[in-house]
Amino acid sequence: MIINLKLISRTLFKDKSYPALNIIGLAIGFACAFVVYVWVNNEFSYDKQLANADRIYRLTFETNTSGNRLHFARCWKKWISQLPGAFPQVEELVWLEPSLHTAIKAGDNKFYSDKVFATDSNFLKVFGINILAGDPDNMLKEPLSAVISSSIARKCYKGINPVGQIIFLSGEYDEKMVPYSIKGVMQDLPAESHIHFDVLTSVSRPLDIPGWAYVYLLLRPETKPNDILAAFSPIVNRLKKENEPTDFTPHLQKITEIHLFSDKDREVEPNGNITNVYLFIFIALILMLISWVNYYNLNKARLLILQKQIKIQLILGSDKKSLVFQSLAESGLYVLLAFILAVTILDFISNPAISFFGLRLMPNGSADLVSIWPIILVLLIISVLSGSLPLIQNILRRQMSLMTLKEAPMQIVPKLSSYGMLMIVQFCLSISLMITSITIYQQKDLMISASMGKMRSNILVFKKQNWEIRGKYQAIREQALRNPLIKSFTACIEEPAGETVDVWDIESSAIEENRKDRQLYVLSVEDNFLDFFGIQLLSGRNFVTFNPARKGEDYILNETAVKKLGWTPEQAIGKPFKLKFPVPGMFNGGTVVGVVCDFNFNTLKQKIKPYVFFQKPEFYQCFMVEVNPVQKKEAISYLKSVWEKELPEYPFQIEFINDLYNTVYQKEFNQAKLTTIFSILAIAIICLGLYSVTSVLTARRTKEIGIRKVNGAGIRNIIFMLSSEFTLWFAISFVIACPVTFLVMNKWLENFVYKTEIKWWFYIVAGFMVLLVSLVTVCLQSLRAARRNPLEALRYE
């Protein structure tokens, strides 16, 4: 055993290139695998910290009106009032009413938050929220009371006890800043939660006032969700209006499944996606497989050089078990060093990963690696075996003679030798990763190029303003347009890239009887909205200046809406039309004055919706401003001065329109970045293997190279001879990888309504990049062998 350890240490310190290639290749694979597995482990841990996570379900409703299906993550408040006491299987029922884009004023701080909710006192108990300050038994029971998060307390009340202080809030439906008394401070929910809070307030708007809320049910032990769903029919029938064409279907969703398995309308926060999880698990396995194949190849190639040393050990009395132990110990040492290097790499890249990918790598330090120790143990064991397998195979096959030190004559590497088969596997995987990366990038570019924020980074957006701010719209608009830096100013009911899910019934005597129950998505817009975004008219005219004294409305439809109503763009002009709204007298009816081309106001994850556009200033919740692109800072500074003059109580907060779309597509962007980096790393691992294998194989053919050079072969001939095998292996890999990757990426693209076309040049570019880097690596080694003095080559051995 002592001799074995000496040989291992001698190899490690004398022949530095071989251990370095092994350790670096394995470390890259380990680092990528650990990143993915820690992230996957976190994705599957969402909401599992709740004490009653196995019994908490979210109530959602699916609506179906003439084939127009919507599935909302929230419920109508009027439905909630019918639930308490209706189900004895429900231990607790709690609900959260969101206050969208709430303006907050606390001390000298003014800002907006989308994490403000109204709820009742039972919510804190059901969700097990830890109270850091205040009386937990008396929170949210008094009107106008609030509980703030510890992060808000640190931000707004540094060194001061927030309990008893006043915080001012103004949500989407408020007409002014409303004072709330802070009754407590709650601990921030962990990142692995599908919902987070800045402020929780007591309920101020009764359930009979129209609105929405997120509903959670704590079921009694042994209760089955299907038993509750089956008992919903009487409630649905009681609340459904007579002759209402909409069908309502309730659903119960386990709280631990929301993050990865929910993509409903009006989700409380953007969720993850189980498809992405599977995609990155697959990529991590590919990278580890490439690392293992590379490690195996390196050790098998090196075995050709070590045959004399092994035979000497056998002659001197070493048995096969000691050789196997030596191989396992040496492989284990390299794997251990690779593991240490991988952990060091993770620690080094953790901060860049947050800013570049939005990934939290090992947020809990080494504890995150401990949480996946079974996976790590399996990876390490397979890695040790992959490095020892070549020697073990050689011993078991009894290919070494104990009687002679002369090596058995070796064939020139056959075209489909074990080296070739393994290199084909590596090439296949790296080509597939590169094609995947190109496809994801093309899909990302398609989504951005087809959006309304595609090329204009000079459009500013004020999101979801309350009633008081909406009342100042005209004053702000008029003052802003006095400055030449402000090119245009418009407004609508929803911000670009948002969720337009408001669907209203319509009336028109011109619609055929079988289309009477059609519903359309609504978008209240300013007079110049179409011109602002360059939306083209197919027929009719644009809006004229809005006249509040006029009785009646002008309506403009998009192509999809016109088709849904059974008209052509020309036929639609002049048709009588009216939107049905719950508030009487809001709409008096009018005519269709125009039809516009379809455009993607939301995202390419959804089909283009049938829209009806109209003018109603009371619905102008989102302001949009086009500024001079050269002097954006000056324009923003001027807008801020106008805002603070008209609305001194409210924070000035803007977003660029392209940032809104980038946020919506952030997951796809991160996919593209990660897949590209993984592809590059896969090629790097292959190059490490090619470098080592080529070194060994050229060393084995040293005499042949010398003889060929003496007989007149040039450097070009030698390089071609040595690299031809690798080119053949690549060609076979390319033929296998292309159709397999096409099928996989076609399946992935099914997640998008509008998807890129997988074009022939994707394969050519991916193959060329892998081939180019590989050939450069092989040719550099071949060039060194070809330049050697032929006399030295003939004296080899």
Side-chain angles (χ1 to χ4, degrees), residues 516-534:
K516 290 285 187 183
D517 57 356
R518 294 294 188 265
Q519 293 181 318
L520 299 181
Y521 289 84
V522 295
L523 205 63
S524 176
V525 299
E526 172 65 285
D527 310 341
N528 65 336
F529 179 83
L530 302 183
D531 293 333
F532 186 92
F533 286 108

Side-chain angles (χ1 to χ4, degrees), residues 275-276 279 436 439-441 443-444 447 668 671-672 742-752 755-756:
T275 303
N276 293 341
L279 174 66
T436 298
T439 305
I440 292 176
Y441 259 106
Q443 179 64 22
K444 179 207 76 170
M447 292 187 294
E668 286 72 25
Q671 280 181 354
F742 175 81
L743 295 175
V744 173
M745 294 315 298
N746 246 351
K747 186 69 176 176
W748 178 77
L749 288 171
E750 290 178 3
N751 292 307
F752 302 92
K755 51 193 176 184
T756 189

Side-chain angles (χ1 to χ4, degrees), residues 190-204:
E192 290 78 25
S193 176
H194 82 282
I195 187 171
H196 298 86
F197 312 111
D198 282 337
V199 183
L200 291 175
T201 71
S202 55
V203 178
S204 58

